[in-house]
Amino acid sequence: MVTVNPEFVMEAQRNAPFRECINQAVLVVADGMGIVWATRFVGNPTPERVTGTDALPEVARRCAAKGYRLYLLGAAPGVAEAAAARLQEIAPGLQIAGTYAGSPAPVEEDEIIERIRAASADIVCVAYGAPAQELWIYRNLARLPVAVAIGVGGAFDFLSGRQLRAPGFMRQVGLEWLYRLYREPRRWRRMLALPQFAVLVFLKGRKTV
Ligand code: UDP
């Protein structure tokens, strides 16, 4: 599962392997109002925005109900553990198969796959940021011993409380990106993708659907 935002789309224009990850995914959801707007603009509207941070509690509830075991991979040391504890509050009975920070470096892959295998996980959530997490999942898909793999970006940071999420009203009016820029100004360069994405949709959008 891939949660696509405008930065993903712009990265995919120049990064062919990343483009393939998105196009091969079984489930692609709109993580960002920019994507929701673009799908409306091109006349093929997606019903709503679904971020990794919003999807994870829902995934956790389903896992708890069905007895599926969730593995949380990525983020800074200790963050996945805190996010796991929060998810167990949200979804009582949730079985956490394991947590591990690790890194998306290829040299660590064998060890990480072995950890996930030993933990008998059913679903793995990978928080290495885009595009590293999607590329990591795609590279390892064939030998990943899970049914579902999801790239969740900063979801563990938000769930654990390490990062504050935008207030509800800002999320509702599509300004979560602005709040994130205020909290993490280093993201400004990445966010240049937003106006570039809007121009791309205006110029090419109607022709492709
Ligand atoms: N991250 C990591 N290892 C890395 C790079 C990033 O664990 O080598 C984690 C980082 O700690 C954060 C998560 O990846 O928890 C997502 O980062 P970011 O918010 O930049 O992701 P985005 O959703 O914007 O792609």
Side-chain angles (χ1 to χ4, degrees):
M1 173 177 163
V2 179
T3 67
V4 168
N5 66 26
E7 288 167 28
F8 281 50
V9 175
M10 296 317 296
E11 174 71 21
Q13 305 300 307
R14 53 184 173 256
N15 182 338
F18 184 51
R19 189 160 66 236
E20 206 175 306
C21 293
I22 298 171
N23 289 336
Q24 297 288 315
V26 172
L27 180 62
V28 178
V29 294
D31 178 349
M33 279 315 290
I35 300 288
V36 175
W37 163 79
T39 64
R40 286 180 195 149
F41 183 80
V42 301
N44 187 16
T46 192
E48 61 178 341
R49 178 173 178 227
V50 180
T51 69
T53 309
D54 293 325
L56 248 184
E58 207 46 55
V59 169
R61 284 189 198 99
R62 303 273 170 108
C63 285
K66 300 270 186 186
Y68 297 146
R69 293 162 60 78
L70 196 60
Y71 198 101
L72 305 188
L73 176 67
V79 175
E81 288 77 3
R86 178 75 192 113
L87 285 173
Q88 283 178 316
E89 281 172 17
I90 294 170
L94 172 68
Q95 295 179 55
I96 297 292
T99 56
Y100 185 56
S103 97
V107 290
E108 289 194 32
E109 279 172 14
D110 289 351
E111 188 207 331
I112 293 176
I113 301 290
E114 195 38 52
R115 281 174 180 266
I116 298 172
R117 187 186 308 279
S120 304
D122 298 299
I123 297 180
V124 63
C125 299
V126 185
Y128 285 146
Q133 62 198 14
E134 284 75 21
L135 293 167
W136 190 95
I137 290 171
Y138 199 55
R139 264 197 319 272
N140 293 294
L141 206 51
R143 60 186 188 137
L144 259 179
V146 295
V148 179
I150 313 172
V152 293
F156 301 169
D157 296 322
F158 292 121
L159 278 166
S160 67
R162 301 283 165 113
Q163 272 296 343
L164 280 183
R165 237 186 135 183
F169 76 92
M170 286 189 89
R171 303 213 295 262
Q172 272 159 24
V173 296
L175 288 178
E176 185 158 20
W177 63 271
L178 186 60
Y179 186 81
R180 214 161 174 205
L181 184 61
Y182 157 70
R183 297 274 316 169
E184 301 172 69
R186 66 183 165 81
R187 302 179 78 92
W188 72 269
R189 194 182 289 277
R190 283 178 55 172
M191 286 190 173
L192 291 179
L194 284 169
Q196 289 168 5
F197 171 77
V199 170
L200 185 74
V201 174
F202 268 119
L203 293 182
K204 289 190 167 178
R206 290 217 189 261
K207 284 187 219 149
T208 54
V209 172

